[in-house]
Amino acid sequence: MLASVAGLMMFIWPLLTKVEPSPAQHGADAPFIFIVLLPVLVMIVIAELSEGGMDSKALAILGVLSAVNAALRPTLGAGTAGIEAVFFLLILAGRVFGPGFGFLLGCTSLFASALLTAGVGPWLPFQMICSAWIGLGAGLLPRRVRGAAEIGMLVAYGVFVSYVFGFLMNLWFWPFITHAEVPYYNGGISYVPGDPVSENLHRFTIFTLLTSTGGWDTGRAVTNTIAILLLGPAVLATLRRTSHRASFGEKGTFRRRAPARTTEPVHEPARPVEPVREPGGVTDGPARPAAADS
């Protein structure tokens, strides 16, 4: 919660104060944001480990999925024309392993991908926190939905977060651009320092609709939809089998053993015996067990 609130303030603080547009666009403060973000991630990992939400096996799987996501992104476009292959696996993993795991996977996937594609820049902390929210939201979806309904729910979620991601990633640089113009539109779409939040948000919404919603964001939504429909069932089954074998979220229990059976022979009490009596009252012969009364 604290990491998400701090991440949200990274995006909206220009709306709450007066900022002079500058071509630098977070060039000065982005490194400090990144320096603050990494210790927050370490604290989240420690919190997950201490409360039992993650263990060493979960950390290993986190590393594997981060590497797979980092390799998928440059292979299938790296966001060109909105083709983003990194989000569908993030959504499925967050769905299976939970919100905390999804939050961390979103951050580590984008960080590793930036290192592979030389995409380290002032935008990277904002991409990391947006992806973390996508994994977090996937882990918070209703757990009882299964089958075709689950795939439909994940497709709808993938489309929704595609546009949310584009909206937020426009917000990180929009207040700093100067005299933004869009062809065939004469209204103002630039940030105006000191204007009310509602007016600036109105301009920003128009800016997003005219610049990215119909192109990059829609391409991202189509990519997520196709990937989840085609690969979702198989990937979900694989991740759930991995989660089951790794015993995620289960703690060891001790059962009380039943007392062991003894192998010593059981001694039955001896039955009383009576002497054999001959006619005339003379006792003769060996003793024999007393018979039951007829």
Side-chain angles (χ1 to χ4, degrees):
M1 181 70 71
L2 292 175
S4 295
V5 171
L8 182 62
M9 292 304 300
M10 288 165 45
F11 288 95
I12 68 172
W13 71 266
L15 301 177
L16 305 178
T17 184
K18 192 173 182 179
V19 177
E20 290 299 328
S22 170
Q25 297 182 6
H26 284 293
D29 59 352
F32 297 100
I33 296 174
F34 188 72
I35 291 173
V36 173
L37 183 60
L38 289 182
V40 171
L41 296 180
V42 174
M43 291 171 61
I44 294 174
V45 172
I46 294 174
E48 287 287 314
L49 289 172
S50 63
E51 70 179 8
M54 293 180 65
D55 56 9
S56 58
K57 291 176 286 188
L59 286 177
I61 294 176
L62 176 66
V64 171
L65 291 179
S66 299
V68 171
N69 248 352
L72 281 176
R73 195 180 185 207
T75 303
L76 299 177
T80 303
I83 300 175
E84 284 278 9
V86 69
F87 293 123
F88 94 94
L89 183 58
L90 173 60
I91 293 172
L92 299 179
R95 169 69 176 167
V96 173
F97 297 119
F101 188 97
F103 188 94
L104 292 171
L105 180 61
C107 286
T108 55
S109 295
L110 268 293
F111 177 66
S113 173
L115 296 180
L116 289 178
T117 60
V120 179
W123 55 83
L124 179 57
F126 301 91
Q127 288 180 335
M128 290 171 63
I129 197 67
C130 285
S131 300
W133 285 335
I134 293 175
L136 174 69
L140 295 175
L141 293 174
R143 309 297 297 177
R144 295 184 179 181
V145 182
R146 287 291 187 271
E150 181 181 30
I151 298 299
M153 179 181 67
L154 293 177
V155 168
Y157 178 75
V159 172
F160 172 73
V161 297
S162 297
Y163 291 103
V164 172
F165 182 85
F167 186 88
L168 290 175
M169 286 308 299
N170 285 340
L171 185 58
W172 84 269
F173 68 87
W174 172 76
F176 298 92
I177 60 177
T178 57
H179 306 295
E181 295 182 0
V182 175
Y184 309 109
Y185 182 77
N186 298 324
I189 57 173
S190 297
Y191 170 81
V192 177
D195 267 18
V197 175
S198 59
E199 295 183 10
N200 273 325
L201 277 179
H202 175 72
R203 298 187 188 95
F204 171 69
T205 301
I206 296 175
F207 171 84
T208 300
L209 291 174
L210 295 176
T211 57
S212 68
T213 300
W216 293 76
D217 300 343
T218 300
R220 189 180 300 113
V222 171
T223 303
N224 286 339
T225 300
I226 295 175
I228 294 174
L229 286 176
L230 295 180
L231 303 176
V235 175
L236 281 175
T238 302
L239 294 177
R240 284 185 172 130
R241 184 165 58 250
T242 302
S243 174
H244 177 71
R245 293 194 175 187
S247 299
F248 276 31
E250 297 181 3
K251 296 183 179 180
T253 57
F254 297 91
R255 294 182 179 178
R256 182 178 297 177
R257 282 188 173 184
R261 293 185 176 181
T262 178
T263 57
E264 297 180 0
V266 178
H267 298 281
E268 296 182 357
R271 290 185 293 176
V273 297
E274 63 182 27
V276 178
R277 297 183 181 275
E278 298 294 336
V282 179
T283 302
D284 191 11
R288 62 183 180 183
D293 294 338
S294 58

